[in-house]
Each structure stands twice: as C-alpha cells, then as structure tokens.
C-alpha cells in the first residue's frame, strides 16, 4: 500500500528526531550564567524575506531594550536567526540545527503556517517553547499544544472581521478569494466560507497561486469572470501586489481585503499608486499611535537600536513577542527551564506589556486578541478604520 504524503512526512520527522535527540536531556539548554539564547527559523531571504526580517528586527529591538536595563535576572537575551526561505523542509532542518547545534532555550518569531506544521512535531516532542509564531492558523491554537505561545488573533477572527465589514458596512454579496494553495491558504479559505455562511452567502469565485511564486495570472482569470465586488487575499506581499496590479490594469476595481500575514507596509511599497483603498486586517496596535505607551516604548527602542528604523506592523508584532518572552522569564524566576517558562506562561495567561494586555493560552478564549482594519492611503500610509 502506498503511504500518504503526510504519513511519509511525519515518518521522516520522527526519523530525524531519533537520529538527533540527545541521550541526556537538559531543560536548561540555552541558559548560561549571563545569557539566555533564543532561536528563530524564518524567511530571511527570498520572496517573503521582509516578513522574517521585520519580525527579527522587532524581537531584537525588544531584547536590546531589556538588556539595556540589566536583562532578566541578570541575563542578557540573545537571538540566533536562521533562514528557512518560507519552505517547510528547510524549516525542519533549521529548527533541528537551532535546537541541537545552537542549543537554544526557546524558539521565537517563526513565519508561516506550512513551516509551523512541519516543525511543531519537533518542538512539541521536546517541549521547546514556540513563542509568537507569525501565523493565525487554527491548529496552533489547540490547547493540546502547550508549548505554543500565540500572541496574535486567529485567521478565523480576521476573516470574521473583514467579511462583517464587507457585507454589513459595504453591502457586498459577490466576494471572491485569492489564496496561497497550501495549508495556510486553505485554513483561511475555511474561515472565510464559515463567515460567509453565517450570512447565507457563498464565495463567488476562487483562485490560487503557488507559494514563493508570483504566478497569479490564472487566478485572476478565474476570479474576474464572477465580477466580484470584493476579493479576499490570502498570501504574502509579492503575489498579492502582483494580483492587485493585474486587476487594476484590466480596468477592474473590486475592494481588496488582505489577511494580516501579507506584510502591510511591504504590500503598500510594492503597490505604489495602485495601493489606494486596499484593506489590510491587523492584529497589533497601530504602530504610529504614540498615545499608546506600548507604541511609544516600541518607537523609542527602535531609535536606540537604529535611528533609521521606521515603525511597521510586523516589527511591532516581533517587539511584542520579545517583550512577552522577557516578562514571562521575569515571572519564572532566576532558574528558568523550558518547562517552568511554559508553566508560567500558561498559568499567568495575561501579560501587561507597557499598558497593553496580551492574553495567551486558555485566557485567550475568553479575551481573544483584537483584530482591526486599516486602509492604504494615496501616499502609501495607513489609516485605521472602524468602518470601511
């Protein structure tokens, strides 16, 4: 009997684990007298590189700020980042390298659903903290995965947010979807269909593209036949920008609504003058709103790290992840282990980060992370909106 691809893939991961699992386990891996080492496997090069780079930038900003104040219980927080190209196989290799060779204490700032699906079996088997993945996938919110620490809203919540606005604020009924043809895209596809079904609506059209490509022509041809009033977009900044520009050139002007994973500022830069009116869902506070202490602290820390850095949504998310990790370590005490850190995170469940509350684990069920919408302006900046 031919083994299915998922089963084969799982068998490969288990084989790798059997070869690489150390004979003597140490919960204190990555913890020395003066430092705690974190690892990041993310897209740092290639067509989705801006996502991993900005997330890394935010984490380093937070760690630098914490270290300048003496670190956590006298230990500096350090980060090793390795490029996985937003590819599941490479992500497995880099994750194993971070755990086995670099001896990191915890993983932070992973990018993507398909890469997380490939690496979660590794981190769960070893109880390695997996903090702040840049993904709203439903499987990451399974309470049976206590080592996963989500700080962002789910894709289900994002889908509900913009489908509500598109249908109730704008009165649209013909809505299409353009999505990455993998676990990420299909996860959001289910959420969008669910949100539409609650309003007795169905998708008007679907179009897909392959991860790490910009081959979107056939997807646009499939979708344009339905003459949609709006198109939900589930992908990274490159292909989404290509799709929108293709639609504009053909004379079609539906409302485009993007999942937060797109990388909002990178999308706006790619689109240029074609970006006006494009909607992007967000899962972190508006990074230019200095009335929020969180944003004020984030911007100040950025200036200290590098005066040329500019605020954006992805790096703010990385900053939040870094600050949460530091806060949890502070509460864990001077002798942290992976198990004690995860126990603290899941027991506390509610962290005050510069006046902004981040809920994780069970606490996030009753007080889920927020979603809000932004619209790209004519000059490429963003406007936060309550209604479209």
């Amino acid at each position: 009997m031919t083994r299915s691809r998922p089963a084969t893939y799982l068998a490969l991961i288990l084989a790798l684990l059997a070869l690489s699992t150390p004979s003597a386990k140490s919960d204190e891996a990555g913890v020395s007298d003066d430092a705690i080492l974190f690892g990041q496997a993310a897209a740092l090069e290639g067509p989705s590189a801006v996502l991993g780079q900005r997330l890394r930038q935010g984490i380093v900003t937070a760690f630098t700020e914490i270290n300048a104040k003496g670190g956590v219980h006298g230990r500096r927080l350090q980060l090793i980042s390795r490029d996985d190209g937003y590819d599941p196989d490479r992500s497995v290799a880099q994750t194993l390298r971070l755990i086995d060779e670099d001896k990191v204490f915890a993983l932070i700032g992973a990018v993507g659903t398909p890469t997380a699906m490939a690496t979660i079996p590794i981190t769960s088997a070893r109880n390695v903290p997996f903090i702040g993945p840049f993904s709203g996938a439903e499987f990451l919110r399974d309470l049976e995965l206590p080592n996963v620490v989500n700080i962002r809203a789910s894709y289900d919540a994002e889908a509900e947010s913009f489908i509500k606005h598109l249908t109730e604020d704008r009165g649209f009924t013909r809505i299409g979807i353009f999505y990455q043809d993998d676990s990420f895209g299909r996860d959001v596809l289910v959420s969008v269909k669910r949100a539409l079904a609650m309003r007795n609506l169905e998708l008007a059209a679907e179009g897909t593209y392959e991860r790490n490509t910009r081959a979107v022509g056939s997807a646009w041809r499939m979708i344009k036949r339905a003459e949609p009033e709006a198109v939900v977009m589930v992908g990274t900044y490159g292909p989404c920008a290509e799709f929108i520009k293709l639609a504009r050139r053909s004379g079609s002007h539906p409302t485009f609504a993007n999942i937060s994973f797109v990388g909002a500022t990178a999308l706006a830069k790619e689109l240029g003058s074609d970006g006006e009116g494009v909607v992007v869902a967000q899962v972190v506070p508006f990074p230019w709103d200095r009335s929020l202490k969180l944003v004020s602290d984030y911007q100040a820390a950025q200036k200290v790290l590098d005066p040329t850095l500019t605020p954006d949504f992805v790096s703010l998310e990385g900053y939040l992840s870094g600050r949460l990790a530091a806060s949890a370590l502070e509460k864990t005490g001077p002798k942290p282990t992976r198990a004690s850190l995860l126990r603290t995170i899941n027991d506390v469940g509610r962290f005050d980060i510069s006046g902004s509350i981040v809920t994780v684990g069970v606490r996030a069920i009753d007080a889920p992370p927020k979603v809000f919408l932004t619209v790209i302006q004519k000059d490429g900046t963003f406007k936060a909106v309550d209604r479209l």
Side-chain angles (χ1 to χ4, degrees), residues 153-275:
S154 68
Y155 289 144
D156 210 41
E158 286 194 55
E160 169 59 24
S161 179
F162 53 65
I163 291 299
K164 178 180 179 180
H165 282 280
L166 292 172
T167 57
E168 297 178 18
D169 294 346
R170 298 291 288 270
F172 294 154
T173 57
R174 293 195 316 281
I175 298 173
I177 187 169
F178 165 72
Y179 65 95
Q180 187 168 290
D181 191 14
D182 62 8
S183 54
F184 162 46
R186 290 188 288 273
D187 194 70
V188 183
L189 174 66
V190 171
S191 295
V192 169
K193 286 183 174 180
R194 183 184 298 120
L196 287 170
M198 289 172 60
R199 295 160 176 85
N200 297 314
L201 293 172
E202 294 181 352
L203 281 168
E206 298 179 26
T208 66
Y209 77 98
E210 186 177 343
R211 182 178 61 245
N212 283 336
T213 74
R214 292 192 180 214
V216 303
S218 61
W220 168 240
R221 287 191 292 273
M222 287 288 294
I223 290 174
K224 73 175 181 179
R225 296 172 191 162
E227 298 183 348
E229 298 163 293
V231 178
V232 173
M233 311 198 77
V234 189
T236 55
Y237 54 92
C240 287
E242 197 71 30
F243 186 95
I244 291 169
K245 288 188 282 190
L246 187 59
R248 300 281 203 230
R249 286 196 299 269
S250 72
S252 180
H253 295 276
T255 293
F256 295 103
N258 291 260
I259 283 283
S260 63
F261 185 85
V262 72
T265 51
L267 176 68
K269 183 178 179 180
E270 288 255 356
L271 285 171
S273 60
D274 287 322

Side-chain angles (χ1 to χ4, degrees), residues 46-182:
S48 303
V50 172
L51 300 178
Q53 291 168 0
R54 293 283 173 83
L55 206 59
R56 182 184 190 281
Q57 183 188 101
I59 297 167
V60 171
T61 297
F63 283 4
T64 301
E65 178 186 18
I66 296 297
N67 292 341
K69 297 175 182 177
V72 179
H73 295 294
R75 294 186 180 94
R76 292 172 292 108
L77 305 184
Q78 299 177 330
L79 178 69
I80 295 177
S81 297
R82 298 200 177 280
D83 175 46
D84 67 12
Y86 192 31
D87 176 82
D89 293 334
R90 288 177 62 188
S91 197
V92 167
Q94 295 291 39
T95 297
L96 286 169
R97 185 178 178 188
L98 286 164
I99 296 172
D100 292 335
E101 295 180 22
D102 300 318
K103 308 293 185 185
V104 300
F105 175 68
L107 294 166
I108 190 168
V111 173
T113 299
T115 47
M117 288 191 77
T119 57
I120 282 298
I122 299 170
T123 64
S124 294
R126 304 185 184 196
N127 203 34
V128 177
F130 194 81
I131 301 169
F134 191 67
S135 169
E138 290 304 311
F139 87 94
L140 288 171
R141 280 139 187 85
D142 188 339
L143 296 179
E144 295 300 312
L145 293 174
N147 71 307
V148 179
V149 183
N150 297 291
I151 69 165
R152 58 164 29 232
S154 68
Y155 289 144
D156 210 41
E158 286 194 55
E160 169 59 24
S161 179
F162 53 65
I163 291 299
K164 178 180 179 180
H165 282 280
L166 292 172
T167 57
E168 297 178 18
D169 294 346
R170 298 291 288 270
F172 294 154
T173 57
R174 293 195 316 281
I175 298 173
I177 187 169
F178 165 72
Y179 65 95
Q180 187 168 290
D181 191 14
D182 62 8

